[in-house]
Amino acid sequence: MAEQLITLDEFWSLRDQFPVIDARSEKEFDQSHIPGSINIPILNNTERIQVGTLYKERGPEEATIKGFELVGPRFHLIIKDALKHFPEKKVIIYCWRGGMRSHILAWLLTMVGFDIFRLKGGYKTYRTYSFDLVRKDWNLIVLGGKTGTGKTRLLKKLQETGEQIIDLEGLANHKGSSFGAIGQPAQPSVEQFENEFAETLHKLDPKKSSWVENESRKIGRLILPDNFYHQMLGSPMIDIYKTEQERVNLIVEEYASLPQDELILAVLRIKKRLGGLRTSQAIQAIIEGNHEDWISNMLIYYDKAYSFDIDKHADGKTFQIDLSGMDEGTATKTLLEAKSQFHGKYTNPTD
């Protein structure tokens, strides 16, 4: 088989078997790409601009010749790079529209014995799919609760029981507060976030319910798609309660070891909403290592913000449940019982 064009449907079944190469420029790849793919550019950032300009001014023939002129001297390096990364010599390749760049890379690698699956329509086809998927309707259960109730941990426990979950904070590399970026990788671009989001949704059964943590429309600098956010507001929500001391203890566990200077900067980012006195007290407590004190101080602000946020949710669809004193295993069982009692009123009873 040397080279075979594949549809997006075929891509989904093949991607678990073969590695994926993105033949676009470094800048295009950094902006967004198919998750899990490796970038081997046929044209680098500067060369892509040159060829693109020539295409517009003089047409495809001269642009193609120029492309070969630019990339030709690097053919041997591209082959060596591919052989290093993919010794099995079976790969999926894509570029922007599935055109010249992926075709050149496919031709080049078949010369040294590769079997190539080239994505018809390229990244544009994938991106259209991911854009649409994150804007479809989903059967959601929203897991609510004030800061420190351990919602993310409980989502993971629910997933271990076989429940479907959507971990928005994990996909966004952000925990959703002023402190949410500390210790996290850099946030992806909006496009890449939607790609990662779509990858999660693609694995879900849309006929079954999926748990999602209650979030504001913004997670760090990323904004949730409007339709999905409004679905969250209109979906059944299980609002969990833990005592303030339990919440403080959990936050201490997660944040006490983080760099002091970053914690102080996070406090300063919300200084206008905290007020001067509370900001000063929190910073002093961080400097002194009095974590319970500054966290209790922050919870006053975040609890008010949560009360404002919860009012946006649909009336009559919020079920409050007290998980005080429960370990995560017991709390998870209690949530599953609550789902069957409460959520069943709003979903297919076979779910």
Side-chain angles (χ1 to χ4, degrees), residues 168-279:
L168 293 173
E169 292 185 357
L171 295 170
N173 294 338
H174 201 284
K175 294 182 179 179
S177 70
S178 177
F179 299 82
I182 303 175
Q184 299 289 315
Q187 285 198 276
S189 68
V190 173
E191 279 188 22
Q192 191 60 26
F193 170 67
E194 290 190 355
N195 288 348
E196 301 284 355
F197 191 0
E199 292 278 333
T200 292
L201 296 176
H202 180 78
K203 297 172 186 174
L204 303 181
D205 181 346
K207 295 178 183 177
K208 294 183 178 180
S209 56
S210 298
W211 294 80
V212 62
E213 185 174 339
N214 185 41
E215 301 286 351
S216 61
R217 189 160 176 254
K218 285 188 70 177
I219 307 177
R221 59 175 176 75
L222 298 174
I223 299 176
L224 292 174
D226 283 346
N227 188 54
F228 190 85
Y229 176 63
H230 289 300
Q231 284 181 67
M232 289 174 63
L233 294 182
S235 296
M237 180 166 74
I238 297 178
D239 185 33
I240 62 176
Y241 174 83
K242 286 270 191 177
T243 66
E244 182 173 333
Q245 189 58 54
E246 286 176 303
R247 293 163 58 208
V248 169
N249 291 345
L250 185 143
I251 299 171
V252 167
E253 187 179 323
E254 293 189 353
Y255 285 87
S257 61
L258 296 176
Q260 211 175 73
D261 57 340
E262 292 191 46
L263 293 173
I264 290 171
L265 284 173
V267 171
L268 290 172
R269 279 195 290 270
I270 53 174
K271 179 178 180 179
K272 288 184 179 179
R273 285 165 281 180
L274 288 175
L277 178 60
R278 189 177 297 160
T279 299

Side-chain angles (χ1 to χ4, degrees), residues 32-48:
S32 65
H33 54 268
I34 296 177
S37 59
I38 292 176
N39 188 210
I40 299 183
I42 282 294
L43 298 173
N44 63 33
N45 296 329
T46 304
E47 292 165 347
R48 175 177 167 260

Side-chain angles (χ1 to χ4, degrees), residues 157-171:
K157 288 292 182 182
L158 286 164
Q159 187 176 39
E160 290 172 12
T161 70
E163 291 289 296
Q164 296 189 151
I165 73 159
I166 303 168
D167 182 8
L168 293 173
E169 292 185 357
L171 295 170

Side-chain angles (χ1 to χ4, degrees), residues 6-68:
I6 60 170
T7 64
L8 187 61
D9 285 340
E10 291 170 323
F11 166 81
W12 289 112
S13 61
L14 290 171
R15 71 177 303 179
D16 293 332
Q17 302 174 48
F18 306 116
V20 183
I21 299 177
D22 184 321
R24 300 175 303 151
S25 67
E26 306 95 323
K27 185 175 181 180
E28 291 171 288
F29 182 84
D30 289 343
Q31 174 62 25
S32 65
H33 54 268
I34 296 177
S37 59
I38 292 176
N39 188 210
I40 299 183
I42 282 294
L43 298 173
N44 63 33
N45 296 329
T46 304
E47 292 165 347
R48 175 177 167 260
I49 293 171
Q50 285 181 261
V51 172
T53 302
L54 199 60
Y55 183 94
K56 290 177 183 177
E57 294 177 352
R58 299 187 185 180
E61 184 176 297
E62 290 201 35
T64 301
I65 293 170
K66 185 64 176 179
F68 271 101

Side-chain angles (χ1 to χ4, degrees), residues 2 19 33 66 69 80 97 113 125 130-131 142 179 208 234 283 299 304 316:
H33 54 268
K66 185 64 176 179
E69 178 189 325
K80 287 178 181 176
R97 287 192 180 92
T125 295
S130 64
F131 180 90
V142 179
F179 299 82
K208 294 183 178 180
I283 291 173
L299 287 182
K304 286 181 180 177

